[in-house]
Amino acid sequence: MRWLQGKVGTTADGQWGPATESAYFAYIDDGAGLTVDGQFGTLTIMAVQRVCGSTPDGQWGPDSKRSLQHHLNVWGNAGLVEDGDPGPATYKALQTFLNATGAGLTVDGQFGPATISALQNALNQGRF
């Protein structure tokens, strides 16, 4: 059960509860199927690219970054400049957006493992 919970991005408490059930069904229905490891690797990049509408090639270039900024503007009303050069403002907007899905992140503008794990969770649960 703990393995499954880690795979779908819920708290690994070993109990099948509402959060695990919701995350599991999102995962098998239309979730990204990412391992929640806090690493911004090729599979996570491709999942972000698919959701944000850029070519899912696994390369985190300016077009992908611009599409993330656009996604945050459209769905999170972030007010970002869509220049493909993310900085603290983009990452604060991302953290704020993820917090709306229950991530509980500190909004500090840092794109670290906690933010990436929350992003992976949201992608797995179809909430990004």
Side-chain angles (χ1 to χ4, degrees):
M1 180 56 64
R2 286 189 172 102
W3 173 86
L4 174 67
Q5 289 170 321
K7 185 77 172 161
V8 300
T10 59
T11 301
D13 62 6
Q15 302 296 313
W16 182 271
T20 300
E21 184 168 324
S22 174
Y24 172 74
F25 285 115
Y27 175 81
I28 63 171
D29 290 339
D30 57 15
L34 300 169
T35 299
V36 179
D37 60 5
Q39 300 295 312
F40 197 61
T42 303
L43 295 177
T44 301
I45 292 169
M46 289 174 67
V48 171
Q49 289 169 325
R50 275 190 291 278
V51 168
C52 294
S54 58
T55 303
D57 61 8
Q59 302 299 313
W60 193 239
D63 289 338
S64 299
K65 295 170 185 176
R66 193 172 9 265
S67 70
L68 171 65
Q69 291 168 325
H70 181 75
H71 183 80
L72 293 169
N73 283 341
V74 169
W75 297 105
N77 198 26
L80 297 169
V81 174
E82 296 176 21
D83 60 2
D85 186 21
T90 297
Y91 298 129
K92 284 181 180 180
L94 174 62
Q95 291 165 332
T96 300
F97 185 83
L98 292 169
N99 280 345
T101 69
L105 295 168
T106 299
V107 180
D108 61 7
Q110 300 296 314
F111 192 58
T115 300
I116 295 166
S117 291
L119 175 61
Q120 291 167 327
N121 281 329
L123 289 163
N124 283 346
Q125 297 171 3
R127 297 186 309 176
F128 187 73

